[in-house]
Structures are given as C-alpha cells and as structure tokens.
Amino acid sequence: PVEDSSHYACPEVSRRNFNGSWPLSTSKMLLDVTSGAVEGDQNSGRLVLEVPSLLVIAGERDDIIPLNAVKGFYDKARTSDKAFVCVPKGDHGLMVEKKTSKYACEKIFEWLNARLPE
C-alpha cells in the first residue's frame, strides 16, 4: 500500500508526514502472535526478527492481540533501536477511537521525528 499524506496531517501540528510504501502485517500474522506460533518459532530460532529499528504499538485493553503476547514478540526482536508503546485504554480498534488514535499518532511521529534528519 502507498501512503499519501496530502489529505491529512496527524498530529495536526506536524510538518512531517510519511509518503511512500508501508510494510503492513496481515491479520494472519497478528493472529499468529496470539496463538503461540510466533513465540514457539522465536524460541526455537526458526524466526529471528532482526531489523534496524522497530516501533511496536499495542492497546492496553486489546482482547484480540493480548498485550503480553505483543510485548513478548517485541522483547525478542533483535535490534538496538526499538520502542514499545502501550496505549492507555486502547483496544484492538485503537486507531479508530479519537483519544487513543491521537495518542498513538503522537507517539508514532515522536519516534519518526527522532530518526529523521533535520
């Protein structure tokens, strides 16, 4: 998918918005996190997540992808530049609800801005 930020600014005060292709996870990949398949593969060494940097955002009240499953996946990621954001009161639809999506977007842009050249 290609992101075109010409029709929005999130957060509203941001002067930087992403344009280009985002790598997206599929629902199957997300469900694997909760099923134990990913954890088992990580523990066995069949799945090693080695990336230059990583931002993981999870909802505190997500009943589809439990917080501890996401945190376990994050903890095993091999990178020296990673951040975990737990969205207070966020559920699986945290990017749909105004308060939780605002919080998540602010954290995303803080993380991106810290890594982009001025």
Side-chain angles (χ1 to χ4, degrees):
V2 175
E3 183 75 14
D4 175 13
S5 66
S6 62
H7 63 282
Y8 70 87
C10 183
E12 294 176 15
V13 297
S14 176
R15 291 177 293 138
R16 291 184 173 158
N17 288 290
F18 179 80
N19 284 300
S21 296
W22 288 99
L24 297 177
S25 297
T26 65
S27 296
K28 171 75 169 96
M29 290 171 67
L30 294 173
L31 289 174
D32 282 347
V33 170
T34 63
S35 72
V38 170
E39 182 179 5
D41 286 345
Q42 285 179 310
N43 290 338
S44 71
R46 289 187 305 264
L47 174 63
V48 178
L49 180 59
E50 292 185 66
V51 293
S53 58
L54 177 68
L55 172 64
V56 174
I57 299 175
E60 175 184 51
R61 297 180 180 168
D62 191 332
D63 58 353
I64 305 297
I65 310 291
L67 187 59
N68 62 341
V70 178
K71 185 73 167 108
F73 182 78
Y74 166 84
D75 288 342
K76 291 178 179 143
R78 295 183 186 173
T79 179
S80 59
D81 179 24
K82 62 182 181 177
F84 184 84
V85 174
C86 177
V87 178
K89 300 181 182 176
D91 59 17
H92 198 65
L94 66 89
M95 293 306 288
V96 177
E97 300 298 324
K98 188 172 184 174
K99 284 184 179 180
T100 55
S101 65
K102 181 176 187 237
Y103 180 86
C105 285
E106 287 170 354
K107 295 300 179 184
I108 291 167
F109 281 98
E110 285 174 16
W111 189 83
L112 288 172
N113 284 330
R115 285 154 184 80
L116 295 174
E118 289 297 318

